[in-house]
Amino acid sequence: MVTVNDYLASLHGGWMGRVYYALGLSTGVIVHDTAYIYDPDFVSESHDDERLNHLRPVTRAEAYRADITYGTNNEFGFDYLRDNMVDDLAKMVQRPLHYAIVDEVDSILIDEARTPLIISAPANEATDKYYEFARLAAGLKPEDHYTVDEKLKAVSLTDDGVEQIERALGVDNVYEAGRIDDVHHIEQAVRARGLYQRDRDYVVRDGEIIIVDEFTGRLMPGRRWSEGLHQAVEAKEGVQIQQESLTLATITFQNYFRLYEKLSGMTGTAMTEAEEFGKIYQLDVVIIPTNQPMVRQDLPDRIYKSEDGKFRAVAAAVAERHAAGEPVLIGTVSIAKNERLSQYLTDLNVPHKVLNAKNNEAEAAIVAAAGQRGAVTLATNIAGRGTDIMLEAGVADLGGLHVLGTERHESRRIDNQLRGRSGRQGDPGSSQFYVSLEDDLMRIFGSERLAGLMDTLGLDDTIPIENKLVSRSLESAQKKVEGHNFDTRKQLVEYDDVMNRHREVIYSRRRKALAADSIKDDILTMIESQVKALVTVHTNERTGEMDEVALREAITNLVPMDDDLAQAIAAAHPTEISALVQERAETTYTSRQEQYGPEVMRMLERYVYVSALDRLWIDHLDAMENLRGGIGLRAIGQRDPLVEYKREGYRMFKQLLNLLDAEIASTIFKMVVRQEAPPVDAPIETALTKAAEQAVGRGGATDPESLAAEGSAQSRGSRAQRRLKSPGALPVSATKATNKKRKKRR
């Protein structure tokens, strides 16, 4: 059971747990850093809520083993990625992905579909430069030095802006070779200043930048924008900058939920997205009739010339309804506008409660009381989903709950979700949107003609109009944005499908290596394929002559070389060399197993295999994301970027698999294992892990560009380990083996 936040996961798990318990079923709950099982015999002293105080803390694996498990989309996705990074299958927590029921399915599978889940580790990169570029960006003027395209959410430097930066940096050409990183950071600093606003897109709390969900207004702790954008925002606000990160594992919600054998979901606002549910997820949308007839009155929009006039009219309308005892729920699109309207209400002496990302811990209590007589609740749009608003006795006679939207959202579905707070279960109610020509949607998608008309008529800021032209313009703008966002998500899933196929192969190989009693046969096959490739490389195609010296040197990198093997290779036909080397590999394997014992040899195999696979996979993620970032330029040459991405991706993945075989084959016999007692204060990580890493090597991957158009997530702010840790209790260490004869020859 997938929900949109930790509170609802816990609430529903505890609430429904008693029902499932009575039916003989167990209920688990997965939340941020914690897991629970519903246990009627357990009473928590930290909760007064009856629905929460029977949740007993357990391990994550225990919660997943329950018959029914509640949790958030983020936690399920991150646990899937972490399960595919473990060094021991016993450490995996999830069961096979069988059946997911997604609550608020449109929020998770549509609104958040573009957001990739990313587990990352800090990259070694200085942070001072971000402050420098933030200072440069602060000195640039909009329009003169850079332009902002709010439709595409893009910022572009003008020629004057480029010259200003070049003067500040003291360079002749900021785009010259070797300065490409500077250009990237400058653009991100300008983007942070021109597009991202405090208390709308993010808040600053305890010296940390926390992203605000644009759809729900809720905080998203632990998530970070990628490509250095989060660092640019941190520098802009003058808070401590966290290092850029190296992607270790990533998947989008689109592809994660498509891994489930069965998938379904529920929401009250799916019909406008029926096409996307069908094309992306193969899900049909079925409308279920309401339990009671819907009697809510949806009043026509009221349009004002200025935002200030609109807010003054909203405050006056709320004061009038409050005086009559009618409860009002007000929806705003950002924290800043939420607080601005709160001041207008305060000036009119209207008592009200404010709910936004700064105090969303009290969300349920505030929203639940929104149906009380005379209550005025000011909230960011749709905050409180999942909490019933019960009307106080007598309120229905006053007309029920009035929902007042202070701005149209770019998606009709979000507006419908706000309206849906009222008129539930046959209750009376009403809703109305107040719109100004200065609202983002109207401003970005054009309202010049209407503004000119209002100026001609000499209408005051506080005088509303109800105009079909405006209503049609709003609906047209919303449809344009919805279509654009659908195309973006559709394109994203087409590109991510390429990586998804790569991911499935790599994760399958990884699990197989960890589950197998021995991967000796696989490694010997790798050695055989490498020898055949070497023979081909060092044989002249035209003459058929073989470069014996170079071939012996190359084979020395695979198996121990001595005079007997060297002479046998010199006398053999090229087709016989592979069998000679295989025989030596078998002999070496047998002798090493007799020396170290089967258990240590199995451990060594797993370390060599998984270490090489993990390192190369990380480099592949980086390479593929860099490819994705620049593949659009292929369109200039009249080539389809998606087709080119698939072709290049296939070539790079084949290269990855070849490199994997080569690294494992050339490493397995270079490891020497010796038993030793570790120091008492030694870290958990054993010397075997370190030596395996040294033997396999590490890549120099840099922080990749994001696959998504916007947003990225970091796993709970944790610094995921690139290294594997010893799954066994055997105290061992390992070092690289040396080959004296090989050294002498060289």
Side-chain angles (χ1 to χ4, degrees):
M1 290 293 299
V2 188
T3 61
V4 293
N5 60 53
D6 284 348
Y7 171 76
L8 291 179
S10 301
L11 179 70
H12 293 169
W15 195 0
M16 294 300 297
R18 67 185 71 185
V19 177
Y20 298 134
Y21 185 84
L23 296 172
L25 300 172
S26 57
T27 304
V29 175
I30 300 287
V31 293
H32 186 59
D33 283 336
T34 317
Y36 304 97
I37 283 284
Y38 175 80
D39 183 352
D41 297 327
F42 175 84
V43 179
S44 171
E45 297 180 358
S46 59
H47 291 292
D48 295 330
D49 193 328
E50 173 67 21
R51 297 169 295 182
L52 297 174
N53 63 9
H54 294 300
L55 296 178
R56 175 169 55 84
V58 294
T59 66
R60 230 167 171 77
E62 288 179 90
Y64 275 114
R65 285 198 296 269
D67 296 307
I68 300 158
T69 303
Y70 284 81
T72 65
N73 49 325
N74 288 335
E75 295 305 314
F76 288 148
F78 280 130
D79 282 339
Y80 168 77
L81 292 177
R82 281 189 287 264
D83 274 355
N84 285 284
M85 296 174 67
V86 298
D87 59 341
D88 186 346
L89 293 183
K91 296 178 182 177
M92 294 180 69
V93 296
Q94 286 189 340
R95 294 192 290 174
L97 304 180
H98 177 59
Y99 188 12
I101 301 177
V102 185
D103 188 21
E104 305 297 357
V105 65
D106 55 334
S107 175
I108 292 173
L109 298 188
I110 303 295
D111 296 338
E112 297 199 52
R114 288 180 290 177
T115 303
L117 296 173
I118 300 174
I119 290 182
S120 57
N124 296 323
E125 193 149 347
T127 57
D128 293 344
K129 61 186 176 184
Y130 293 106
Y131 293 117
E132 178 186 355
F133 292 127
R135 287 193 294 270
L136 287 178
L140 301 179
K141 298 177 181 178
E143 303 302 329
D144 292 340
H145 296 134
Y146 63 89
T147 58
V148 178
D149 188 329
E150 294 183 84
K151 292 182 184 179
L152 299 178
K153 297 185 178 179
V155 173
S156 300
L157 289 169
T158 64
D159 291 341
D160 289 342
V162 172
E163 291 177 5
Q164 172 97 345
I165 288 172
E166 287 173 344
R167 284 194 297 269
L169 294 176
V171 298
D172 295 329
N173 183 5
V174 74
Y175 291 97
E176 66 187 0
R179 304 197 67 92
I180 190 66
D181 285 345
D182 288 348
V183 173
H184 172 71
H185 290 305
I186 290 166
E187 290 175 345
Q188 293 293 56
V190 176
R191 191 178 174 206
R193 181 159 294 277
L195 276 176
Y196 290 81
Q197 296 181 19
R198 182 170 180 168
D199 289 342
R200 185 191 72 181
D201 303 295
Y202 62 90
V203 299
V204 181
R205 175 177 290 183
D206 299 327
E208 183 179 355
I209 301 295
I210 303 178
I211 298 173
V212 174
D213 188 322
E214 65 172 306
F215 299 102
T216 66
R218 295 188 178 100
L219 293 180
M220 298 192 292
R223 289 198 178 185
R224 293 178 63 82
W225 290 302
S226 60
E227 304 178 57
L229 175 61
H230 209 96
Q231 288 79 5
V233 174
E234 288 170 333
K236 166 190 167 185
E237 295 294 343
V239 302
Q240 183 177 356
I241 295 174
Q242 297 183 31
Q243 287 183 322
E244 286 195 55
S245 55
L246 180 72
T247 299
L248 305 182
T250 180
I251 192 171
T252 60
F253 285 127
Q254 286 171 323
N255 271 320
Y256 171 69
F257 283 106
R258 291 195 302 169
L259 291 172
Y260 280 87
E261 192 177 323
K262 299 178 184 178
L263 179 65
S264 67
M266 297 157 290
T267 181
T269 50
M271 204 58 220
T272 57
E273 313 298 337
E275 181 185 4
E276 184 165 352
F277 280 119
K279 288 185 176 180
I280 303 296
Y281 302 100
Q282 286 73 55
L283 294 177
D284 294 325
V285 175
V286 178
I287 297 178
I288 300 175
T290 56
N291 181 45
Q292 298 289 339
M294 207 279 288
V295 296
R296 183 186 68 234
Q297 291 184 314
D298 294 328
L299 305 173
D301 295 354
R302 308 192 78 180
I303 298 97
Y304 294 82
K305 183 178 178 182
S306 71
E307 188 173 66
D308 180 70
K310 177 187 71 174
F311 279 134
R312 282 188 281 137
V314 167
V318 171
E320 182 179 343
R321 290 180 182 271
H322 168 71
E326 186 177 354
V328 182
L329 175 63
I330 310 168
T332 63
V333 297
S334 69
I335 299 170
K337 292 182 179 181
N338 188 285
E339 294 177 342
R340 179 181 173 187
L341 183 54
S342 174
Q343 186 58 53
Y344 280 94
L345 294 173
T346 300
D347 293 342
L348 293 179
N349 297 316
V350 177
H352 60 281
K353 292 184 178 180
V354 177
L355 173 62
N356 57 40
K358 291 185 175 180
N359 67 335
N360 61 355
E361 296 85 357
E363 176 179 320
I366 293 175
V367 173
Q372 302 295 308
R373 179 185 292 269
V376 176
T377 309
L378 180 56
T380 47
N381 276 355
I382 75 165
R385 293 177 72 178
T387 304
D388 250 350
I389 300 177
M390 307 295 290
L391 299 183
E392 186 181 12
V395 168
D397 297 332
L398 300 173
L401 175 67
H402 179 68
V403 169
L404 194 155
T406 60
E407 193 168 330
R408 283 284 191 174
H409 197 274
E410 63 181 28
S411 170
R412 291 169 295 168
R413 188 165 40 82
I414 306 300
D415 292 341
N416 291 338
Q417 289 164 359
L418 180 61
R419 287 191 192 274
R421 298 291 89 206
S422 175
R424 300 166 75 85
Q425 294 295 331
D427 285 342
S430 58
S431 70
Q432 189 168 33
F433 281 87
Y434 282 57
V435 180
S436 86
L437 300 187
E438 294 178 351
D439 292 349
D440 288 345
L441 191 67
M442 294 296 291
R443 180 174 50 80
I444 295 171
F445 289 93
S447 58
E448 295 84 0
R449 285 189 299 167
L450 188 58
L453 175 63
M454 296 183 81
D455 286 336
T456 302
L457 296 175
L459 296 179
D460 185 76
D461 283 359
T462 58
I463 298 177
I465 62 170
E466 293 181 6
N467 186 287
K468 291 183 179 180
L469 171 65
V470 180
S471 299
R472 285 198 299 268
S473 297
L474 277 170
E475 186 175 354
S476 175
Q478 288 177 314
K479 287 181 179 179
K480 285 180 183 177
V481 177
E482 289 168 355
H484 172 72
N485 289 342
F486 173 42
D487 290 341
T488 300
R489 290 189 291 265
K490 185 179 178 183
Q491 183 186 56
L492 174 65
V493 79
E494 288 174 341
Y495 277 94
D496 198 49
D497 276 346
V498 178
M499 275 303 303
N500 199 48
R501 288 191 287 272
H502 298 181
R503 185 186 301 112
E504 288 174 356
V505 172
I506 292 299
Y507 284 177
S508 175
R509 285 192 172 204
R510 198 179 190 282
R511 287 192 295 269
K512 180 182 175 182
L514 291 174
D517 292 332
S518 172
I519 54 174
K520 171 186 173 181
D521 293 340
D522 293 330
I523 293 177
L524 290 176
T525 300
M526 293 177 188
I527 294 175
E528 181 179 13
S529 66
Q530 290 301 305
V531 173
K532 289 180 179 178
L534 291 173
V535 171
T536 301
V537 168
H538 295 292
T539 300
N540 189 301
E541 291 184 9
R542 185 173 56 84
T543 64
E545 294 181 359
M546 190 169 59
D547 186 343
E548 295 179 10
V549 175
L551 179 60
R552 284 200 304 270
E553 283 293 322
I555 291 176
T556 301
N557 194 42
L558 299 175
V559 298
M561 179 71 70
D562 57 21
D563 292 338
D564 292 340
L565 182 57
Q567 291 172 7
I569 290 174
H573 188 272
T575 58
E576 300 171 341
I577 292 176
S578 177
L580 290 171
V581 177
Q582 280 301 100
E583 184 180 349
R584 174 55 57 90
E586 287 272 8
T587 303
T588 306
Y589 227 108
T590 301
S591 64
R592 288 169 68 84
Q593 183 160 300
E594 291 174 352
Q595 180 182 359
Y596 303 134
E599 183 180 352
V600 174
M601 200 62 190
R602 297 296 83 76
M603 185 191 298
L604 185 61
E605 289 171 355
R606 287 196 298 271
Y607 271 119
V608 170
Y609 191 104
V610 175
S611 296
L613 185 146
D614 285 350
R615 185 187 68 78
L616 291 171
W617 176 241
I618 290 168
D619 291 348
H620 184 69
L621 287 175
D622 178 54
M624 288 294 291
E625 292 185 359
N626 286 331
L627 173 66
R628 171 70 180 92
I631 201 70
L633 297 175
R634 303 285 178 96
I636 298 173
Q638 304 300 311
R639 289 182 289 179
D640 186 335
L642 179 59
V643 173
E644 291 291 300
Y645 181 74
K646 290 179 179 179
R647 184 178 62 81
E648 290 287 335
Y650 176 71
R651 180 188 61 78
M652 291 166 63
F653 188 63
K654 283 184 65 178
Q655 184 180 31
L656 163 67
L657 297 181
N658 289 335
L659 284 172
L660 178 63
D661 288 355
E663 291 214 5
I664 293 171
S666 63
T667 301
I668 191 66
F669 293 140
K670 293 186 178 67
M671 305 291 288
V672 173
V673 181
R674 66 175 184 275
Q675 289 190 345
E676 64 179 18
V680 176
D681 58 348
I684 298 175
E685 184 180 39
T686 67
L688 174 58
T689 307
K690 296 178 180 177
E693 286 175 351
Q694 293 167 1
V696 176
R698 279 187 160 184
T702 56
D703 189 48
E705 297 175 7
S706 175
L707 280 174
E710 56 188 69
S712 71
Q714 188 180 35
S715 171
R716 302 190 290 200
S718 66
R719 298 188 172 189
Q721 298 293 319
R722 283 185 75 173
R723 297 198 284 252
L724 295 173
K725 296 185 178 180
S726 174
L730 183 65
V732 295
S733 69
T735 59
K736 273 192 177 182
T738 58
N739 188 313
K740 294 182 179 179
K741 292 185 179 180
R742 181 181 175 190
K743 284 187 174 181
K744 193 177 293 183
R745 266 192 231 101
R746 288 189 173 177

